[in-house]
Amino acid sequence: MKPRGGEDAAASGSRCQEDGCGPDELILLLVYLYSLADEAQPPHGGGGGEEEEKQLEMLERELIGALTLVITQEAELSPLLQKLTGCANPEELTTERAHSAVGEMFETLRGLSHTREHLKQLRSVYTASDGVHQASYRPFLRQLLEEVFHPDRPECPDIEHTSGGLTDLLKTGFSMFMKVSRPHPGDNPLLLLFLVGGVTPSELRLIRDTASTHKPGTQVLVLSTRLLRPTDVPELLFPPRRRPPPPAAI
């Protein structure tokens, strides 16, 4: 980890500066790592779980310290760092404030690994390597659309049907005593897909490809709150920090 625009980077012509790798990019990488952290770890066997937890905590403390140092050495604070620290310029930023801000950021990161725990089927987006096949990533959105469009899939417990009339209410009531098939999203010629928080261009392409592969005749209308870039994710994930109070007048 090296600051951008610092004396060390300028003197050595650091590749970190050339490649545009700074605190913002490191934070974005941490977001993706923590979102897969629990899935990517092998299950604990024997009594090594507690020791591994201690090693992970120690590594996290080292990361917090290293990232704090990098942020305090920045010649100019990016909009993301200003939001995380509550400081508009490096002169306002103290080591204590930067360390506290990074610590709060890691608390948010830890929660990322639990975001899909309430789901019953679509909980995993990562498949570990089995020695023959490489590890693979299956986007949540792709899994959801496959459940919607694939004709042979049974009802997914994570896709809920809301009754919208007297007939549907009666069906819902009867389903308590007998097996009643519920309407499936894939039965409709038009699918309205609303993504709260934003959608990326790659996700739009994924939606188009998945729909054309599994049900070519279906129209999909995608609605969202905004068009996202990958760099927008930390901006939306981390809450803004209050600015430090001005120094008391003497």
Side-chain angles (χ1 to χ4, degrees):
M1 296 184 187
K2 292 185 179 181
R4 286 180 298 186
E7 295 179 1
D8 293 341
S12 61
S14 169
R15 285 199 55 175
C16 176
Q17 189 179 22
E18 294 173 7
D19 296 341
C21 177
D24 288 26
E25 290 76 23
L26 293 170
I27 291 170
L28 180 60
L29 179 59
L30 286 170
V31 169
Y32 287 107
L33 288 175
Y34 269 79
S35 67
L36 294 174
D38 275 10
E39 292 189 48
Q41 290 185 66
H44 297 309
E50 186 175 345
E51 184 63 30
E52 288 182 9
E53 282 292 327
K54 290 180 180 179
Q55 292 178 359
L56 288 172
E57 289 177 6
M58 184 172 65
L59 177 60
E60 192 173 86
R61 286 196 297 269
E62 292 177 358
L63 276 172
I64 291 174
L67 192 54
T68 298
L69 181 62
V70 169
I71 291 175
T72 55
Q73 292 177 343
E74 284 284 283
E76 184 178 347
L77 297 181
S78 67
L80 175 60
L81 294 183
Q82 292 181 31
K83 180 181 180 180
L84 287 174
T85 62
C87 298
N89 53 69
E91 289 74 22
E92 297 179 7
L93 183 61
T94 63
T95 302
E96 291 76 16
R97 186 167 184 84
H99 189 272
S100 175
V102 174
E104 292 177 6
M105 183 191 77
F106 270 80
E107 289 181 11
T108 303
L109 289 173
R110 293 185 204 106
L112 280 177
S113 58
H114 306 294
T115 52
R116 294 182 297 274
E117 281 188 348
H118 66 288
L119 299 175
K120 299 175 182 177
Q121 179 176 326
L122 307 177
R123 299 182 63 172
S124 176
V125 296
Y126 173 84
T127 303
S129 170
D130 58 4
V132 178
H133 303 94
Q134 292 183 343
S136 61
Y137 166 64
R138 293 191 65 217
F140 176 81
L141 188 57
R142 174 177 292 162
Q143 295 185 57
L144 179 66
L145 290 172
E146 287 176 352
E147 293 295 329
V148 169
F149 290 127
H150 204 290
D152 300 328
R153 296 286 171 89
E155 291 185 2
C156 177
D158 297 322
I159 301 178
E160 297 183 3
H161 171 254
T162 303
S163 302
L166 180 59
T167 303
D168 287 338
L169 287 173
L170 289 174
K171 286 183 179 179
T172 303
F174 282 126
S175 66
M176 299 173 62
F177 308 100
M178 61 181 69
K179 185 174 179 60
V180 177
S181 61
R182 298 175 181 176
H184 194 275
D187 298 336
N188 300 286
L190 174 64
L191 177 69
L192 298 179
L193 184 63
F194 196 97
L195 300 171
V196 179
V199 62
T200 64
S202 62
E203 287 175 329
L204 291 173
R205 185 169 59 251
L206 183 151
I207 294 168
R208 182 198 63 189
D209 294 345
T210 306
S212 61
T213 299
H214 293 285
K215 204 165 185 182
T218 303
Q219 289 183 315
V220 182
L221 180 60
V222 181
L223 307 170
S224 188
T225 48
R226 62 184 291 179
L227 184 64
L228 284 177
R229 301 168 300 172
T231 52
D232 293 329
V233 174
E235 292 275 356
L236 296 172
L237 180 63
F238 301 113
R241 208 159 190 260
R242 294 181 60 183
R243 295 196 61 181
I250 299 177

